[in-house]
Amino acid sequence: PAYSFPNIAAEAVAFDKDENLYVVETEQTAAVKIYKKVILNGFERYDAWKTHQGGFINPRGIAFDSKNRLYLADDGNDRLLRFNTPYDNGTFAVVASTFGNLKGLAIANDDMFITGYSRNLVYKSDITDAGGLNEKHIVGGMNKVVDVATNGDLVAITSPENSTITLLKA
C-alpha cells in the first residue's frame, strides 16, 4: 500500500476536493474523523486533523457533492445530514429523515442515491443549489439494501443479506 494507518470501526470513507480523507466511525466513537493530506519530503501521508461528533448513532455512508459539501447517513437516527464546511467546523443541518435505516449513499452529477435498509428501497433525489433534496424517486423490489456506489450512469446496490449486487442505469 501507498500508506496505511490504524483505525477502529471505520465504516465509510470519502475524499474532499483538496484530497483530505474523511472517515466515518461507528461503534465506539460515532464520529466523522478528518485526516489532512500532507506532503513532506516528497512523501504523502494523512495526519489526524479533527473529529466531528454530533449525537450520531451508527453513522454509515458519506459522500461529497460538487460544491464540496459533505453528506452523512446517520443510520441510528434515520436522518441525512449536510456539513457545508466540514473541514473547518462540525456544524451540520438535517436535510431529510425517515428513510428506514439509511445506510449507504452516493452522489453522481448532484444526483444522490440513498439506501433504506428496513424499507427495502433505494431513493434517488436531485441535490438543490442550497444543498437540500428535490422530490424523491424510489426504486423498490430490493431486499435489505446496504450500500450504493455510482460510476457515470451506472448504480451498484449491495444486499449482503441476499448475497446480491444489483446494477441499475441512473
Side-chain angles (χ1 to χ4, degrees):
Y3 186 71
S4 179
F5 56 92
N7 182 277
I8 297 173
E11 182 73 28
V13 294
F15 289 97
D16 68 11
K17 67 177 177 69
D18 297 319
E19 299 180 27
N20 298 304
L21 178 63
Y22 293 69
V23 179
V24 172
E25 295 182 346
T26 60
E27 312 302 326
Q28 298 161 348
T29 59
V32 177
K33 286 195 173 179
I34 304 170
Y35 294 86
K36 182 179 182 178
K37 180 180 177 181
V38 176
I39 298 176
L40 185 63
N41 298 325
F43 294 98
E44 184 177 292
R45 71 174 197 232
Y46 289 85
D47 291 347
W49 175 247
K50 60 178 62 175
T51 300
H52 298 317
Q53 291 175 303
F56 314 133
I57 299 174
N58 207 17
R60 297 280 183 169
I62 56 173
F64 282 91
D65 69 8
S66 63
K67 294 183 177 168
N68 209 40
R69 296 177 292 212
L70 177 68
Y71 294 83
L72 170 66
D74 188 9
D75 177 24
N77 289 312
D78 199 21
R79 60 188 183 168
L80 175 67
L81 309 177
R82 182 190 68 244
F83 298 79
N84 289 333
T85 56
Y87 188 79
D88 298 321
N89 67 66
T91 303
F92 62 85
V94 176
V95 176
S97 60
T98 63
F99 291 95
N101 299 102
L102 71 156
K103 295 191 182 299
L105 67 94
I107 298 173
N109 302 318
D110 282 342
D111 285 332
M112 182 179 294
F113 297 86
I114 301 167
T115 61
Y117 180 80
S118 65
R119 291 193 180 155
N120 301 318
L121 298 172
V122 176
Y123 302 89
K124 177 186 177 186
S125 296
D126 298 333
I127 300 172
T128 67
D129 286 340
L133 299 180
N134 280 327
E135 179 180 338
K136 295 179 202 172
H137 304 278
I138 299 173
V139 179
M142 289 172 276
N143 196 28
K144 303 301 180 196
V145 290
V146 174
D147 202 11
V148 60
T150 59
N151 183 21
D153 68 346
L154 195 60
V155 180
I157 303 160
T158 67
S159 178
E161 190 169 308
N162 294 312
S163 303
T164 60
I165 297 172
T166 303
L167 300 177
L168 304 171
K169 290 287 186 177

